[in-house]
Amino acid sequence: MPNLVTANLNGCTSLHMGCIPYDGENGTDFSSGTVGATPCSSLSVSEISALSASLRSEGAALTELELQGTVLGSKGASMLAAGLKDHSKLTSLSVASCRLGGSGLQSLLRELPSSLMQLDLRHNYIDDDGAKVIASTLKAAARRLNRLDIGWNGVGARGARALAEALRMNPELTDLSLSWNAVKDRGAKALGDALSYNHKLTTLNLDHNAIKDAGAAAIAKGLKDNSVMRNVEIAHNGVSLAMQQKVREALLMIPKPVEKVTTPPSDEDSDEIEEISFDEDEEEPSPSSKHDEL
């Protein structure tokens, strides 16, 4: 793992903690562009402090920071947040499996740079309270965030309702993943209702959420009033094949985008329609799992 205390990160645009091995016994200059490191279990306080200081330095150029699997905890998240606050170049941040917890999540979200477009928060034990904090962030003005992954976080119906409320007013988010949570039917109903009002989100992943037909029916209903959704994932839930078909049909009813194309030399406009494809239905699920792919 890179020694962040002695490393020179000026000019580095992409830092991946847990990718490829690097060779450096002493201070290492990473100004070539992208840094990869061997998988790590934690960062020391001094290393997190050094990383935070690098993000605040005048020569900081990081646009992508990957810390997946690096144990930060609430204290480390707070220290990292101090460096992120004024770093206006960062567009992608992954802190998946960093054991942020509720307080760490709050510290991080409070200082997210407005430039950030992609955020990976998977597997951080944030539950419904954390989802509510995320919802507040999505409601905030001056956010460019368009991809958000909060899978594997124990988010239930209460958290899903908070996120659904945020989706009603968020003008930027296009891709939301809530896979491997427990929103169940009540959470799915709230999200389905939000789809009637949200006209920006194009991808919604609800795989592995203990959703049954009632929840899927609410999603289908919301899709009928939606004009932009292109992909809804509800695989590995307790949704019947018949209800899967209704969701698919509702998705197909959404008007496809039409682009005007000018073709020289006639300058005539023609309509180019984007295709939407779906996976074929799987066989009837076993009674023990009731898992189906959509």
Side-chain angles (χ1 to χ4, degrees):
M1 189 175 78
N3 187 340
L4 294 176
V5 177
T6 57
N8 175 14
L9 296 179
N10 286 347
C12 174
T13 58
S14 183
L15 177 59
H16 292 250
M17 305 299 295
C19 295
I20 59 175
Y22 91 107
D23 184 17
E25 297 179 356
N26 302 309
T28 307
D29 187 343
F30 296 146
S31 59
S32 60
T34 301
V35 180
T38 55
C40 56
S41 58
S42 64
L43 291 178
S44 67
V45 171
S46 58
E47 287 176 317
I48 299 174
S49 178
L51 176 58
S52 180
S54 295
L55 290 171
R56 295 194 300 270
S57 68
E58 186 175 341
L62 273 181
T63 60
E64 182 179 359
L65 179 57
E66 166 69 71
L67 295 174
Q68 179 174 344
T70 302
V71 178
L72 294 175
S74 58
K75 183 176 181 180
S78 180
M79 294 173 66
L80 176 63
L84 292 175
K85 181 177 180 181
D86 298 315
H87 187 64
S88 60
K89 297 179 181 178
L90 194 69
T91 60
S92 178
L93 173 64
S94 174
V95 284
S97 301
C98 287
R99 300 187 186 178
L100 299 179
S103 59
L105 176 69
Q106 289 188 48
S107 297
L108 198 63
L109 293 183
R110 192 162 46 236
E111 306 296 356
L112 284 182
S114 59
S115 58
L116 196 68
M117 300 177 70
Q118 300 182 30
L119 179 60
D120 185 354
L121 291 168
R122 287 172 297 157
H123 202 253
N124 272 297
Y125 313 104
I126 64 171
D127 58 49
D128 285 339
D129 290 335
K132 291 179 180 179
V133 176
I134 294 172
S136 296
T137 300
L138 292 176
K139 293 178 183 178
R143 289 290 180 197
R144 298 175 58 193
L145 194 65
N146 56 44
R147 295 190 65 184
L148 176 63
D149 193 338
I150 50 179
W152 288 90
N153 270 302
V155 177
R158 289 190 299 116
R161 285 197 294 268
L163 292 167
E165 182 181 346
L167 287 177
R168 287 170 174 258
M169 57 188 73
N170 181 274
E172 297 295 337
L173 200 65
T174 60
D175 189 326
L176 174 62
S177 177
L178 276 162
S179 63
W180 288 96
N181 281 292
V183 305
K184 300 185 178 179
D185 282 347
R186 287 184 297 169
K189 287 177 181 179
L191 291 167
D193 186 50
L195 293 181
S196 299
Y197 300 90
N198 182 287
H199 298 288
K200 188 68 175 181
L201 195 70
T202 60
T203 298
L204 177 62
N205 189 339
L206 294 172
D207 288 351
H208 296 278
N209 266 282
I211 298 170
K212 301 186 184 303
D213 280 6
I219 296 293
K221 181 179 178 181
L223 288 173
K224 292 179 180 179
D225 297 321
N226 188 285
S227 61
V228 296
M229 187 64 72
R230 294 290 169 263
N231 185 31
V232 176
E233 301 288 344
I234 54 172
H236 306 291
N237 287 289
V239 182
S240 67
L241 292 176
M243 185 54 66
Q244 287 185 40
Q245 181 62 27
K246 289 185 179 180
V247 173
R248 182 180 292 107
E249 290 172 354
L251 197 60
L252 286 169
M253 288 174 60
I254 296 176
K256 300 174 184 178
V258 177
E259 299 178 3
K260 290 186 176 181
V261 181
T262 302
T263 306
S266 62
D267 291 330
E268 295 180 355
D269 291 337
S270 63
D271 291 340
E272 183 176 299
I273 300 180
E274 180 183 357
E275 293 185 358
I276 301 175
S277 61
F278 300 91
D279 296 331
E280 295 181 357
D281 291 337
E282 292 186 351
E283 295 180 359
E284 185 67 20
S286 63
S288 60
S289 63
K290 297 184 179 179
H291 290 173
D292 295 295
E293 294 273 349
L294 191 68

